[in-house]
Amino acid sequence: MKLFLFHTPEEVPNQGLPDCAIAIDVLRATTTMAAALAAGAEAIQVFSDIDTLLTVSETWPLDKRLRAGERGGGKVEGCDLGNSPLDHSAERSGGKRLFMSTTNGTRCLKRIEQAPLVITAALTTRQAVVEFLLEHRPETVWLVGSGWEGTYSLEDTVCAGAVIHGVMTATGQSFKDLAGNDAAIASVSLYLQWQDQLLDLLHYASHGQRLLGLDNEADLKYCAQLDVLTVVPRQQEAGVLAL
């Protein structure tokens, strides 16, 4: 297994596809997706464009859908929810399809949706993702951070490092065996530096500060948790994730 890290969708190579691609958006899309599916959502359908989301979701029964739209950290008008993992409970999300569009995370998923195996990762699902990789043993893996509007995000990189470190620990393999590029090695160093202070790191991160400015401290606390969910959102068809 070779693990490659690309910090943003824009860094993803234009040629070729990996055996497995992993979208990461710790703050907050992939954390929210995992929370929704853990709460019993039927599936998550992702969109880059809000207008398309609104049009497609109209074909779904009103009592079986939730529209989640976020831009700039806030909820989009016409949607039921924004992009918070704390929005989801069995009572609210159980049995419903989540139609979702966010500033960064859903754009990342659209960039890698042609890979034969697509999953998402968050700090909350790190160990579940490691176990998924060890079970399926894909030969090449791209971990793709969502970043923020095309720029690097600390929280996505530390999550990638946590996943790579988990695979290394479980297999006893070294960077020489597993690392596909330099970014993969650097991400593990970041994780080892901050593994006991993940909430602090999210506070320092530029997007974390942006969310704090919107009074989203509770989201940061949730997103900073490690290994608290056992789900792995997996693409069932292009743009649709389920368990």
Side-chain angles (χ1 to χ4, degrees), residues 9 23-25 27-30 32-33 44-50 53 68-71 82-83 98-113 118 120 145-147 235 239 241:
I24 304 172
D25 187 3
L27 295 176
R28 293 165 288 171
T30 57
T32 299
M33 290 171 186
I44 301 164
Q45 193 162 345
V46 300
F47 300 84
S48 298
D49 178 69
I50 287 286
L53 180 157
E70 171 267 321
R71 290 294 183 271
N83 183 24
L98 186 66
F99 295 86
M100 187 174 185
S101 181
T102 71
T103 305
N104 304 295
T106 53
R107 185 172 55 86
C108 178
L109 274 163
K110 297 301 284 186
R111 179 67 184 83
I112 61 175
E113 69 180 6
V118 176
T120 69
S146 297
Q235 183 172 263
L241 297 142

Side-chain angles (χ1 to χ4, degrees), residues 92-201:
R92 172 176 267 178
S93 307
K96 296 181 179 178
R97 175 164 295 215
L98 186 66
F99 295 86
M100 187 174 185
S101 181
T102 71
T103 305
N104 304 295
T106 53
R107 185 172 55 86
C108 178
L109 274 163
K110 297 301 284 186
R111 179 67 184 83
I112 61 175
E113 69 180 6
Q114 297 305 315
L117 180 59
V118 176
I119 63 174
T120 69
L123 291 170
T124 55
T125 63
R126 186 279 303 258
Q127 186 57 36
V129 170
V130 170
E131 292 171 4
F132 182 95
L133 291 174
L134 295 177
E135 177 185 352
H136 289 84
R137 297 281 176 171
E139 196 167 317
T140 55
V141 180
W142 291 356
L143 297 102
V144 184
S146 297
W148 174 262
E149 296 184 343
T151 61
Y152 170 94
S153 287
L154 275 174
E155 66 275 7
D156 295 343
T157 300
V158 82
C159 181
V163 170
I164 295 167
H165 182 262
V167 174
M168 292 176 69
T169 301
T171 62
Q173 292 179 290
S174 67
F175 285 128
K176 186 176 180 180
D177 302 315
L178 289 172
N181 62 0
D182 290 354
I185 299 171
S187 71
V188 175
S189 297
L190 182 69
Y191 171 67
L192 291 175
Q193 174 72 26
W194 291 95
Q195 60 183 318
D196 297 321
Q197 299 171 282
L198 291 170
L199 181 56
D200 288 341
L201 180 68

Side-chain angles (χ1 to χ4, degrees), residues 81-97:
L81 309 171
N83 183 24
S84 171
L86 299 175
D87 285 338
H88 296 280
S89 62
E91 294 75 22
R92 172 176 267 178
S93 307
K96 296 181 179 178
R97 175 164 295 215

Side-chain angles (χ1 to χ4, degrees), residues 61-85:
L62 185 62
D63 64 341
K64 292 294 184 181
R65 77 177 189 220
L66 284 171
R67 292 167 165 172
E70 171 267 321
R71 290 294 183 271
K75 181 167 77 78
V76 174
E77 185 177 350
C79 291
D80 306 297
L81 309 171
N83 183 24
S84 171

